[in-house]
Amino acid sequence: MEILKIEHLSKIYGKGETVVKALDDVSFSVQKGEFVAIIGPSGSGKSTLLHMLGGVDRPSSGKVMIDNTDIYSLNETELAVFRRRQIGLIYQFYNLIPVLTVEENMTLPILLDQHKVDKKQLQSIVDALGLDNRLNHLPNQLSGGQQQRVSIGRALISNPSIVLADEPTGNLDSQNSSEIIDMLKMFNKTLKQTLIVITHDERIALQADRVISIEDGRIAKDEVIRP
Ligand SMILES: Nc1ncnc2c1ncn2[C@@H]1O[C@H](COP(=O)(O)OP(=O)(O)OP(=O)(O)O)[C@@H](O)[C@H]1O
Ligand SMILES: [Mg+2]
């Protein structure tokens, strides 16, 4: 089943002399449960692409369909709700809220939706991430690897259909880096969540089912590694 379909996506930043075509007519689709790595040189448009897929920033032209919803046909409020429920975003620098505890950071998307936290589901994510004895800590009382695990927990708490990660291990040593990737892969396999990861690390890219290379805002290569 096709969970994501991108058609003729372009993004132009700036105007006149400072204009940058960050994405140039990109089209592809992703099957439910697929693990896709996105690679490419610095400035090639990888983060721009992820922002367009994640509903963070509107494209200049083109379409993003997630689970048959044309996300940019939604208004801002609808898009914010859609994003919170269907898309899990993970960044290089965690983006946790410093004054909230680990548990509060992780459950924030649920509370913003005015839903009740499913304690059993929270516990199973906390256990899988090895954060059980850190729930009342603040982000600055955690290691980088632990902070990234909290941000993964926050991304997964709404049980999204797609998880998007922009260099999730870019700030971590190799030990923490492989633990984080193992966890993302484990959730990808057990929860059948579609996983799209931007990485500069070839060892990570080679663990994906498929590798898409971006160059100058275009798809330069799209290779299936594991059918
Ligand atoms: N908000 C913005 N305003 C203007 N130009 C931008 C903006 N964001 C990105 N760009 C430009 O768009 C191009 C693509 O940037 P992008 O951040 O997507 O690259 P990237 O592939 O993620 O690079 P890196 O590997 O360094 O993170 C770059 O030339 C960048 O300068
Ligand atoms: Mg980037």
Side-chain angles (χ1 to χ4, degrees):
M1 180 203 148
E2 211 169 63
I3 189 80
L4 173 70
K5 189 176 169 81
I6 297 137
E7 289 176 347
H8 305 294
L9 201 64
S10 294
K11 178 69 177 178
I12 295 167
Y13 290 113
K15 283 195 189 103
E17 282 179 13
T18 60
V19 73
V20 175
K21 199 162 203 183
L23 279 183
D24 186 4
D25 195 16
V26 171
S27 302
F28 63 93
S29 49
V30 174
Q31 299 295 313
K32 183 172 163 61
E34 225 178 336
F35 170 15
V36 180
I38 296 182
I39 61 171
S42 180
S44 56
K46 305 181 297 298
S47 295
T48 303
L49 174 61
L50 213 74
H51 290 151
M52 304 295 121
L53 303 187
V56 179
D57 193 10
R58 285 181 187 265
S60 305
S61 58
K63 249 192 205 178
V64 175
M65 308 280 297
I66 296 179
D67 213 0
N68 292 320
T69 300
D70 177 353
I71 67 169
Y72 292 108
S73 71
L74 303 175
N75 67 32
E76 286 306 319
T77 315
E78 292 166 339
L79 181 57
V81 172
F82 184 88
R83 200 167 54 214
R84 214 149 56 218
R85 295 183 186 164
Q86 298 290 339
I87 302 167
L89 277 165
I90 300 164
Y91 293 100
Q92 179 175 356
F93 295 106
Y94 330 128
N95 284 11
L96 300 174
I97 297 181
V99 295
L100 298 184
T101 64
V102 165
E103 180 168 353
E104 290 164 344
N105 265 288
M106 281 182 59
T107 54
L108 193 61
I110 303 278
L111 301 175
L112 287 172
D113 254 354
Q114 286 157 357
H115 287 167
K116 257 178 76 178
V117 174
D118 177 343
K119 289 277 176 195
K120 245 171 123 179
Q121 189 218 3
L122 174 66
Q123 193 59 48
S124 78
I125 293 178
V126 166
D127 288 343
L129 295 170
L131 288 169
D132 200 31
N133 52 7
R134 290 289 182 279
L135 286 179
N136 295 315
H137 283 60
L138 293 171
N140 69 6
Q141 297 169 323
L142 301 176
S143 71
Q146 288 168 335
Q147 290 183 61
Q148 192 57 301
R149 285 186 256 153
V150 176
S151 93
I152 291 173
R154 180 184 55 189
L156 297 180
I157 196 78
S158 311
N159 201 18
S161 43
I162 296 200
V163 176
L164 304 173
D166 194 346
E167 298 190 44
T169 64
N171 203 33
L172 301 174
D173 61 37
S174 61
Q175 168 76 26
N176 272 299
S177 180
S178 49
E179 282 178 20
I180 290 292
I181 290 300
D182 286 349
M183 283 176 189
L184 288 173
K185 275 168 56 183
M186 188 266 294
F187 286 116
N188 166 245
K189 293 288 167 266
T190 56
L191 303 177
K192 297 259 179 289
Q193 275 161 342
T194 307
L195 175 62
I196 303 183
V197 178
I198 294 179
T199 183
H200 277 116
D201 187 337
E202 189 169 85
R203 286 165 305 177
I204 293 174
L206 290 174
Q207 296 182 53
D209 303 321
R210 173 176 170 197
V211 180
I212 296 179
S213 312
I214 306 285
E215 276 172 36
D216 289 332
R218 291 172 159 267
I219 295 183
K221 238 194 257 170
D222 186 346
E223 294 169 294
V224 174
I225 305 188
R226 267 170 219 87

